[in-house]
Amino acid sequence: MGAGELPTSTARTAHGSAARPFLLPPPSTSRFTLTQLSLAAAGLFAASWFLVLRPGSTRVTTSGGSCADVGSPAPTASPIDAFLACSSDALAGEAALVLVGPVALAVLASVGWFLAPRVLTRWWRDLDLEPPGPRHDALDRLAREEGLEHLPTWYRTVRTGAWTYGRWPRHRVVVGLDVLTGFRGDKDERRWRALISHEVAHLRNRDVDRTYWTLCAFFAFLLIVATPLVVDAFVSSRVGPSLSWRVVAIVLVVVLSVAAVLRTREHDADLRAASSDSGGMREAIAWSLAKREPSSRPRWLRTHPRDAERLAVVDDPSRALWISPVEFLAAGIAAGVVLVELPAVLEGLLEATPGGAVTAYLVAGWLTGLPLVGVVGLASWRAAVAAADTGTRAPRGLVPGVALAAGLLAGSQIAPRSSAAWVTVFATSGDRAFSPRLGNVAVPTALWLVAVLVLIGLLFVTWSVAMGEAFTTSRRPVDVRVARHVLLGATVLCVPLGGWFLALRLAAADAVDPATLAASFVGYHALEALLVVTLVAATALAWCTSRWLVLPGAIVAGVALAAVVLLPVAVPTREDPRAGGANLALPAFPQAGNACLWLMHVRPLDGDPDYQRRFGAALSATDDALMREIGAALVASADDPDGAAALSARTALVRRCDAFSTGR
Amino acid sequence: MAPDGDAARGPVYDLVAEVLVGVAPEEAADLPLVWEAWRRNPVPPSALHDRERLLGSGLAGELVTWAPLVVSFLGTQVVGGAMVDAAKDGLRSRSRNRIRSWRDRWRRRRGRAEVEGSVPRLTPAEIRDLAAEAERAAVAVGRTPEEARVLGDHLAGVLTRRAAA
């Protein structure tokens, strides 16, 4: 059953207007998405750490000496083509290895989720099947009245309370005898009935499988990611403290996200149960509130909300739909970590594609944008709908937008990949083992990057809130609208997000200034992509909302983003410190590695045909067979420096130099 | 699952029924169900209610009826042997109770708790101790002190009457 088919709950607020907490997927879905995002980020890095970065394991899989052995190419292939094919395969394999992290987490979580019902039934021991009879019939009747299609199996226990577990479609509801003996199916037994309705509401909200999967993934995360990472970081390298506090930070984000999932699902279940009873849920919560002292555990670590909060939300459901800047901050952190790790993977898979790095960042921006929109976009839309329903002021994007930007920035720095200059830590690290640490960036550039990120956050949240109003006017099914909005939002986000993280990486690696960064974007035609995407998004927005007033807003947002990227072009580009190398005479390179140092520190291949010809000739006299082949290819392609042969030769040269720099 | 019938009941069941009728007479009809469930899975009062069970509703256990608490408390005390030991020794200490609780938990794991006991005659001091213990157990599962005192008073009254008979 889709979200759009769920019965829409309405509850009166204190102002007398109706709030619709289930018009859109409820808040627990956003928290669930956020947790998955955080877990995926941590999994990516753990795999990168254990399977790629650590000394010893990299030699097996990455491009290295074995690919550079030109003595054994296929008879039909040139040595350069053979080297490129070999190294591309190795890099793609390395990238695929990194995916092992999130895949392993997902597999372990799925196995745990699959086995959980059987294990828990044995573990609890004291569960008895509710025998057929009037009480069983009353329970079934209640579940049907609540709208359940698949009736659960009812268990009873001498313990108190009630809870739900199992796998779809065979869920199990355990009801304590304290509740069960008070329930005989009579609608006057409102408190007892409400407790059982609350558990049925978890099934109606479809959060039972999600929650158990999340908990299994969390335990898998502790087992195969967090613990091994911290231990190994201290034992095997000198980046221990720098890496470990980041791992601890990610553990904290995951823990808080999981606790938020558990808390939010209780609010959702309260609201769902309250939507179909006549005050029983409210009475049960009020009873609970009156009966006990509030727990002293901090709110963020609680797995259940306080009774007072629950009562307030049941009284005014729109409270559950308000925007939480903390949620935006956490979503930003998780997305920031993913946007550091994921492009490295995609770059390896797109190694053979021209412009692979930019494409990798745009694709990573889109892929990360999907769950990010599922958190912050959905939250904005819910808040906009609640504001429209209750006649209150529409939410503003300022604080949530800044929180999102702050989260993205923090995530980029919390990402374990930012914890070291990997090439200096592990001699075998390739150039793609980058470290996007903001501390490596010049202060003016860092300030520019931060300003751009804040602007991205503000514009996106403002745009999202505007999109949320579409839900109050469109008549199309909610599922379709949510899916379309998420796709659209990810498309709008992919260019600014991908572009910003690429800019951070370039700035951190090469200390380039804003103007150079902006110029490189223009060179990669990202500007055109930005404008096209914005126009498409604006048109789609207008089409799906039928609110043409929103169109100018979207265009203004797109133009503002373009201006942010273009602005530094007006600033004079800093002179390349290597520019003076053009005046130096090219020496001989008896050792091929020296040629690489010349390229890195004196003069790169800059498109000058004569320089390319002379450099190729110098390479032809080195001690490395592959470099001699590359030198010959550079000489032969010097008259067409933009041709395919020159491109292959230059790519092979970069990869061979990478192998030299990492000692392979 | 239906109760085994009268064969499963005995002096302890009678004691529980007598106390429950005093505390919450409306729950007497449910006693066989609760008793049978507890006999097959004899959990102590402390295990009845986790304040914030990870995946439970999180609402207070004070919605509970009295029967599970009375059954669990008296069942643990008598079937688990605490009252018998107390009658023999005339003395109970908290540390001994703790050791006994571990032993009982181990016995439960091994499925050995299906032992019906007899209710010993207790001295007035032992009755006072047991009533105080019952009040503590009630408060621990979320009852107010006033409600807990009702349980303690009824238990003391029943045991005193039995001792005098």
Side-chain angles (χ1 to χ4, degrees):
Chain A
M1 187 164 64
E5 298 163 278
L6 287 169
T8 299
S9 163
T10 58
R12 296 274 157 190
T13 67
H15 314 289
S17 47
R20 295 176 289 174
F22 295 103
L23 177 69
L24 292 168
S28 59
T29 54
S30 300
R31 306 298 203 283
F32 174 76
T33 308
L34 173 58
T35 307
Q36 309 314 310
L37 193 61
S38 313
L39 288 167
L44 282 174
F45 181 77
S48 173
W49 171 265
F50 284 114
L51 303 176
V52 178
L53 288 174
R54 280 189 70 207
S57 53
T58 49
R59 295 173 200 279
V60 179
T61 55
T62 57
S63 60
S66 59
C67 285
D69 180 7
V70 296
S72 55
T76 55
S78 76
I80 292 177
D81 289 342
F83 171 71
L84 286 176
C86 173
S87 55
S88 292
D89 288 347
L91 289 167
E94 179 181 296
L97 269 183
V98 176
L99 292 176
V100 166
V103 169
L105 277 178
V107 167
L108 273 179
S110 299
V111 169
W113 162 79
F114 186 80
L115 295 176
R118 196 168 301 171
V119 172
L120 290 175
T121 303
R122 285 183 62 84
W123 174 259
W124 284 322
R125 291 174 59 88
D126 52 351
L127 305 184
D128 293 323
L129 272 172
E130 175 66 18
R135 193 168 0 233
H136 192 285
D137 294 342
L139 289 168
D140 279 349
R141 196 163 52 248
L142 184 150
R144 278 196 207 93
E145 286 169 6
E146 297 283 345
L148 271 192
E149 288 180 353
H150 300 278
L151 294 179
T153 307
W154 301 98
Y155 282 85
R156 67 189 186 196
T157 174
V158 75
R159 294 172 200 266
T160 62
W163 65 95
T164 310
Y165 73 112
R167 283 193 311 274
W168 189 90
R170 293 193 293 275
H171 287 118
R172 307 162 191 208
V173 178
V174 182
V175 187
L177 282 170
D178 61 315
V179 178
L180 204 55
T181 52
F183 173 76
R184 291 178 179 80
D186 186 341
K187 292 203 171 187
D188 289 338
E189 302 153 347
R190 297 203 306 181
R191 287 207 311 272
W192 283 268
R193 187 183 171 86
L195 277 185
I196 300 172
S197 295
H198 175 95
E199 297 308 317
V200 171
H202 282 303
L203 301 181
R204 292 172 66 196
N205 288 345
R206 293 173 293 170
D207 66 25
V208 176
D209 293 272
R210 282 200 310 245
T211 305
Y212 279 89
W213 196 94
T214 300
L215 288 174
C216 292
F218 175 64
F219 292 128
F221 161 77
L222 291 180
L223 189 68
I224 68 169
V225 173
T227 307
L229 261 181
V230 173
V231 170
D232 195 62
F234 275 105
V235 169
S236 69
S237 82
R238 53 199 163 90
V239 295
S242 175
L243 174 71
S244 295
W245 78 258
R246 288 173 163 86
V247 174
V248 169
I250 286 183
V251 170
L252 202 59
V253 169
V254 173
V255 167
L256 296 181
S257 302
V258 171
V261 167
L262 298 177
R263 276 197 313 273
T264 315
R265 74 191 281 268
E266 299 302 336
H267 281 310
D268 292 348
D270 287 347
L271 287 173
R272 181 74 77 182
S275 71
S276 56
D277 69 13
S278 52
M281 196 67 238
R282 190 190 187 288
E283 190 178 322
I285 298 171
W287 178 278
S288 179
L289 177 62
K291 276 289 190 176
R292 63 178 173 183
E293 294 292 319
S295 164
S296 57
R297 193 183 297 180
R299 180 176 185 275
W300 303 111
L301 291 175
R302 291 171 60 87
T303 55
H304 293 82
R306 289 201 171 93
D307 292 336
E309 293 171 38
R310 297 174 77 154
L311 199 58
V313 167
V314 167
D315 283 342
D316 178 7
S318 67
R319 292 174 68 98
L321 310 177
W322 291 348
I323 284 181
S324 160
V326 175
E327 183 183 21
F328 280 52
L329 179 75
I333 291 174
V337 173
V338 171
L339 278 163
V340 170
E341 299 300 334
L342 189 58
V345 177
L346 296 173
E347 207 179 328
L349 296 174
L350 297 169
E351 188 67 35
T353 310
V358 175
T359 309
Y361 274 88
L362 292 180
V363 173
W366 193 79
L367 291 176
T368 314
L370 288 174
L372 189 60
V373 176
V375 179
V376 300
L378 203 51
S380 306
W381 307 334
R382 273 194 297 262
V385 169
D389 285 347
T390 56
T392 51
R393 201 180 67 173
R396 306 285 180 187
L398 181 62
V399 175
V402 172
L404 175 63
L408 286 165
L409 184 65
S412 73
Q413 301 308 299
I414 285 174
R417 195 176 281 273
S418 300
S419 59
W422 297 106
V423 178
T424 63
V425 175
F426 298 133
T428 50
S429 301
D431 277 354
R432 281 188 295 110
F434 57 89
S435 172
R437 191 187 287 191
L438 202 61
N440 297 343
V441 181
V443 173
T445 309
L447 291 175
W448 178 74
L449 284 170
V450 170
V452 170
L453 192 58
V454 170
L455 195 58
I456 289 172
L458 287 175
L459 288 174
F460 180 71
V461 175
T462 305
W463 180 82
S464 287
V465 171
M467 290 284 284
E469 295 181 11
F471 286 98
T472 63
T473 56
S474 174
R475 295 182 184 280
R476 294 188 177 88
V478 170
D479 278 357
V480 174
R481 277 182 282 165
V482 169
R484 194 174 52 203
H485 277 47
V486 168
L487 287 172
L488 194 57
T491 308
V492 168
L493 263 183
C494 72
V495 173
L497 271 190
W500 191 87
F501 276 82
L502 177 59
L504 173 64
R505 173 179 166 180
L506 292 175
D510 298 323
V512 293
D513 56 24
T516 311
L517 282 176
S520 67
F521 279 111
V522 175
Y524 279 120
H525 306 293
L527 180 64
E528 289 89 332
L530 177 70
L531 290 175
V532 168
V533 164
T534 306
L535 282 175
V536 169
T539 308
L541 173 66
W543 169 67
C544 69
T545 62
S546 302
R547 291 168 68 91
W548 289 97
L549 283 177
V550 182
L551 181 62
I555 292 176
V556 168
V559 171
L561 278 176
V564 165
V565 175
L566 275 177
L567 185 64
V569 176
V571 181
T573 305
R574 189 181 60 188
E575 190 177 350
D576 187 340
R578 295 176 297 185
N583 302 323
L584 296 177
L586 195 64
F589 301 118
Q591 291 178 315
N594 290 339
C596 299
L597 292 175
W598 172 273
L599 285 178
M600 288 173 64
H601 299 294
V602 183
R603 185 181 179 189
L605 287 175
D606 49 14
D608 177 356
D610 181 55
Y611 174 58
Q612 179 172 324
R613 191 176 293 110
R614 286 188 291 117
F615 187 80
L619 280 186
S620 301
T622 62
D623 59 349
D624 183 78
L626 179 60
M627 285 295 241
R628 290 198 293 274
E629 292 287 342
I630 293 171
L634 286 174
V635 171
S637 61
D639 292 331
D640 183 15
D642 294 328
L647 182 63
S648 293
R650 286 203 299 270
T651 304
L653 177 61
V654 169
R655 289 190 190 174
R656 187 66 188 109
C657 282
D658 177 41
F660 274 126
S661 71
T662 56
R664 291 171 293 194
Chain B
M1 214 170 285
D4 294 342
D6 290 344
R9 301 169 193 171
V12 185
Y13 179 89
D14 293 340
L15 173 66
V16 169
E18 206 174 336
V19 174
L20 186 63
V21 165
V23 178
E26 71 280 6
E27 296 179 29
D30 297 317
L31 181 57
L33 178 67
V34 178
W35 175 254
E36 185 57 29
W38 183 85
R39 261 188 79 240
R40 273 183 286 106
N41 304 291
V43 294
S46 58
L48 279 182
H49 173 58
D50 304 325
R51 185 177 174 92
E52 194 170 320
R53 186 182 287 123
L54 190 62
L55 292 166
S57 70
L59 292 172
E62 290 83 353
L63 288 167
V64 296
T65 46
W66 279 99
L69 175 62
V70 176
V71 165
S72 173
F73 178 75
L74 288 176
T76 304
Q77 290 291 325
V78 181
V79 178
M83 272 173 71
V84 179
D85 289 353
K88 279 181 184 168
D89 301 341
L91 178 69
R92 285 184 302 156
S93 67
R94 288 203 164 270
S95 59
R96 182 183 295 178
N97 277 344
R98 187 161 299 162
I99 293 169
R100 196 173 288 126
S101 142
W102 293 338
R103 184 195 66 192
D104 293 345
R105 191 174 302 172
W106 181 76
R107 281 181 176 173
R108 281 199 304 279
R109 290 275 171 201
R110 299 284 302 264
R112 284 205 213 155
E114 297 280 330
V115 184
E116 182 59 283
S118 60
V119 181
R121 287 177 189 277
L122 302 178
T123 65
E126 289 164 352
I127 290 174
R128 274 198 304 277
D129 284 350
L130 197 65
E133 191 75 23
E135 290 182 26
R136 276 195 290 274
V139 170
V141 299
R143 290 285 179 178
T144 63
E146 292 74 24
E147 291 170 332
R149 199 165 302 122
V150 172
L151 174 63
D153 289 349
H154 274 95
L155 177 60
V158 169
L159 290 175
T160 304
R161 274 199 306 278
R162 286 177 165 232

